[in-house]
């Protein structure tokens, strides 16, 4: 597994747009311990992404792409919304699905990949907005979990329909007034993380993307558990700064404010028993590997 | 009723798929010019002539040849670069041969840079920007090529050539089929053979050669 799989023909290297040259030359494919620390020296997403300046979704994208454990064998499934405008800029296979259908598409895709590539690890990761996950796509989201489909669902929760100008979503807070929802939300924010747990997800986390190390940890856990055991769900707060009236520098503070212990994005995690066992095994193996590397280093010195 | 011919546009906003107008694909050993089946040799000559006649003859290599995903693709890339270098040598200083990649089929937001790439969802932008009046698609998957060729025919006056690795493209003005390294090299030979024998097009339209 390496960059061999994504080589530009040498005759055309000079004419390829620079972002493709960068994504190939400076991506971290094949690097076992890739993670958020590669951000800055490696390349996961090009600079000219299409999100608003300072949108936390762009940070979330970078952290997630840098943390995928197996990017060359990962297929991401997106849905319509602000996120979908970013996918053309990433160097990971991805499919754009009809709004709301993402978990149905991912179910078929994961099964097909398992049949087509027996013995090879193929990860499927859904990444969609709250409107796609909780409103129009709720049926597909839940059915995939009921069926124990082995892929990860990530919801970028910005608590409204951002891409279409600010309509109310199931994940919006009660009482919130948006540009196209002037009356204010009349009922509570849907408790999807709890629903996910009850619907059969083996690993569920609700948090913000303020800390890259946390995003890395939950992404790796979610992908590993989905690969071996069953569905996993991450609900990540990526505030729409445009809709809540913040400027481009204020996204991070907004996330920090919302993750305080009494707030709605305080870190919450659910891990099923089999998932706990798996994660413990992975942690033990990593510890062993690190110890062996340390010993080797000491022997060389 | 006059039979339908696949001609340079601008035809109209949504030109019909040439297949729906009765244009059929060539058999092995044949090509088509404007929708009329011709022996392949004739297609080489006409493609070379169109390239040499154009002010901005351009090759658009697609993902199937831009990425060295197998040995065959790598060899085709070498042949296409050779064709481009030949074209550059054989045109006059008033002409400007270009090689512009189609690296992605995904629509790119907020915009593509039409100076350095072409995108199948709005190929007209690259054609307009660079005033391309003759182009050749190679290494572009069938569906994306057909989509693009139709958009180009609809909104520009650019002459389109398809160096197709499958059964040919009825939506191009000229199409080869079963493209191979040999066929691409042969087209380069034809360009060299016709060098200096073709007059550069004098057509100037109001908003640039590609309308
Ligand atoms: C089937 C379908 N219904 C409706 C739409 C219109 N639409 C586009 S984006 C969007 C809202 C997206 O909201 P969300 O999933 O929360 O993503 P965000 O833009 O907030 O990141 C809607 C309703 C569509 N594209 N397709
Ligand atoms: S509209 Fe909101 S969610 Fe969408 S890119 Fe802008 S800030 Fe981000
Ligand atoms: Mg949203």
């Amino acid at each position: 597994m390496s960059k061999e799989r994504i080589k530009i023909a040498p005759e055309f290297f000079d004419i390829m747009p620079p972002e493709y040259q960068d994504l190939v030359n400076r991506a971290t494919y094949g690097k076992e311990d890739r993670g958020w620390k590669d951000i800055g020296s490696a390349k996961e997403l090009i600079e000219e992404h299409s999100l608003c300046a300072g949108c936390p979704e762009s940070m979330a994208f970078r952290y997630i792409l840098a943390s995928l454990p197996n990017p060359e064998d990962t297929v991401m499934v997106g849905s319509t919304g602000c996120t979908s405008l970013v996918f053309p800029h990433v160097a990971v296979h991805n499919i754009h699905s009809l709004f709301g259908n993402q978990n149905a598409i991912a179910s078929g895709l994961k099964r097909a990949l398992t049949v087509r590539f027996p013995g090879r690890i193929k990860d499927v990761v859904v990444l969609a907005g709250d409107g796609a996950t909780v409103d129009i796509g709720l049926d597909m989201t839940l059915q995939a979990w009921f069926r124990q489909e082995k892929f990860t669902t990530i919801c970028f929760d910005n608590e409204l329909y951002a891409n279409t100008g600010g309509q109310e979503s199931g994940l919006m807070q009660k009482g919130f007034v948006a540009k196209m929802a002037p009356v204010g939300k009349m009922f509570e924010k849907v408790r999807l993380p709890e629903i996910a747990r009850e619907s059969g997800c083996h690993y569920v986390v609700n948090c913000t993307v303020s800390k890259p190390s946390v995003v890395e940890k939950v992404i790796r856990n979610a992908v590993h558990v989905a690969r071996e055991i069953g569905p996993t769900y991450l609900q990540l707060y990526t505030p729409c700064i445009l809709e809540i009236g913040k400027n481009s520098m204020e996204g991070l503070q907004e996330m920090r404010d919302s993750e305080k212990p009494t707030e709605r994005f305080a870190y919450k995690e659910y891990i099923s028993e089999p998932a706990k066992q798996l994660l413990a095994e992975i942690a033990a193996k990593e510890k062993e590997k690190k110890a062996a590397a340390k010993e080797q280093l000491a022997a060389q010195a | 009723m006059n039979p339908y011919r696949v001609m340079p546009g601008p035809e109209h906003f949504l030109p019909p798929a040439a297949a729906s107008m009765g244009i059929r694909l060539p058999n092995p050993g044949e090509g088509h010019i404007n929708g009329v089946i011709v022996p392949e040799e004739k297609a080489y000559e006409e493609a070379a002539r169109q390239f040499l006649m154009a002010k901005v003859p351009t090759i658009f290599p697609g993902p199937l040849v831009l990425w060295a995903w197998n040995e065959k693709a790598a060899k085709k890339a070498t042949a296409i670069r050779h064709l481009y270098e030949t074209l550059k040598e054989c045109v006059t200083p008033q002409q400007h041969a270009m090689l512009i990649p189609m690296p992605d089929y995904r629509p790119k937001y907020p915009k593509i840079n039409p100076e350095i790439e072409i995108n199948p969802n709005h190929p007209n932008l690259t054609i307009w920007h660079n005033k391309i009046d003759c182009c050749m698609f190679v290494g572009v998957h069938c569906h994306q090529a057909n989509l693009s060729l139709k958009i180009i025919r609809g909104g520009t006056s650019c002459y389109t050539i398809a160096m197709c690795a499958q059964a040919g493209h009825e939506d191009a003005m000229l199409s080869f089929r079963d493209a191979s390294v040999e066929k691409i090299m042969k087209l380069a030979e034809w360009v060299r053979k016709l060098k200096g024998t073709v007059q550069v097009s004098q057509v100037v339209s109001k908003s640039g050669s590609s309308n």
Side-chain angles (χ1 to χ4, degrees), chain A residues 128-153:
Chain A
D130 47 310
T133 309
V134 186
D135 294 336
I136 300 179
L138 185 63
D139 183 7
M140 275 59 81
T141 306
L142 293 184
Q143 297 287 351
W145 294 344
F146 298 160
R147 291 192 308 263
Q148 293 287 292
E149 303 286 353
K150 289 174 139 182
F151 62 84
T152 298
T153 304

Side-chain angles (χ1 to χ4, degrees), chain A:
Chain A
M1 233 116 7
S2 69
K3 288 183 183 178
E4 286 304 302
R5 303 252 293 273
I6 50 154
K7 250 191 345 214
I8 297 174
E11 286 81 4
F12 294 135
F13 194 86
D14 61 332
I15 60 159
M16 276 297 239
E19 66 258 30
Y20 291 87
Q21 296 173 355
D22 279 352
L23 285 173
V24 170
N25 281 347
R26 296 169 54 210
T28 51
Y29 297 102
K31 185 169 178 251
E32 269 195 19
D33 58 344
R34 68 195 300 272
W36 73 272
K37 286 189 177 140
D38 296 315
I39 291 173
S41 56
K43 200 84 174 170
E44 329 72 29
L45 179 67
I46 68 166
E47 289 80 2
E48 282 182 25
H49 60 72
S50 49
L51 301 167
C52 300
C55 174
E57 280 193 1
S58 66
M59 291 157 67
F61 252 106
R62 280 182 207 284
Y63 301 159
I64 292 169
L65 290 167
S67 308
L68 290 172
N70 187 25
E72 50 279 69
D73 279 300
T74 299
V75 185
M76 297 187 77
V77 181
S79 198
T80 320
C82 289
T83 51
S84 60
L85 306 183
V86 179
F87 274 113
H89 302 272
V90 307
V92 171
H93 284 297
N94 57 81
I95 293 177
H96 176 74
S97 66
L98 180 71
F99 193 64
N101 277 4
Q102 60 281 353
N103 279 39
I105 302 274
S107 301
L109 177 67
K110 176 69 193 190
R111 291 180 188 199
L113 289 171
T114 310
V115 174
R116 172 68 181 79
F117 299 100
R120 192 140 117 209
I121 294 167
K122 290 275 180 185
D123 296 323
V124 172
V125 176
V126 167
L127 200 171
D130 47 310
T133 309
V134 186
D135 294 336
I136 300 179
L138 185 63
D139 183 7
M140 275 59 81
T141 306
L142 293 184
Q143 297 287 351
W145 294 344
F146 298 160
R147 291 192 308 263
Q148 293 287 292
E149 303 286 353
K150 289 174 139 182
F151 62 84
T152 298
T153 304
I154 304 174
C155 172
F156 273 8
D157 181 6
N158 52 14
E159 307 192 297
L160 43 66
Y161 291 18
N163 197 236
T164 39
Q167 292 82 6
E168 177 179 313
S169 106
L171 291 190
M172 185 185 266
Q173 303 170 66
K174 188 173 179 184
F176 193 85
V177 173
K179 288 202 188 99
M180 296 208 192
V183 175
K185 175 97 176 280
M186 315 250 270
F187 55 94
E188 295 291 343
K189 182 178 174 81
V190 173
R191 287 167 17 205
L192 198 62
E194 288 160 56
I195 295 173
R197 186 190 67 203
E198 294 303 316
S199 306
C201 284
H202 289 268
Y203 183 79
V204 180
V205 170
N206 177 56
C207 66
T208 79
V209 299
S210 70
K211 297 185 191 74
S213 57
V214 171
V215 178
E216 178 183 315
K217 184 192 85 182
V218 302
I219 292 289
R220 293 183 74 88
N221 287 351
V223 170
H224 282 131
V225 171
R227 196 188 278 171
E228 304 293 339
I229 298 173
T232 57
Y233 175 60
L234 304 177
Q235 186 164 315
L236 307 177
Y237 183 41
T238 53
C240 172
I241 47 174
L242 193 82
E243 286 294 334
I244 59 176
K246 305 263 172 185
N247 71 36
S248 53
M249 300 303 286
E250 292 172 336
L252 185 57
Q253 194 53 48
E254 165 63 24
M255 291 190 281
R256 285 181 178 153
D257 292 343
S258 315
E259 67 193 5
K260 290 182 179 146
T262 53
E263 291 295 328
R264 63 199 186 289
F265 286 101
Y267 187 89
K268 266 190 236 115
E269 184 180 70
Y270 163 74
I271 316 180
S272 72
E273 280 311 315
K276 271 185 198 158
Q277 212 177 329
L278 176 80
L279 293 177
E281 280 165 26
I282 293 174
K285 266 191 212 145
E286 263 168 28
K287 209 168 158 188
E288 246 173 59
K289 224 159 68 184
K290 268 188 195 153
K294 218 170 166 184
E295 258 174 44
Q296 208 179 1
L297 217 66
Q300 279 168 0

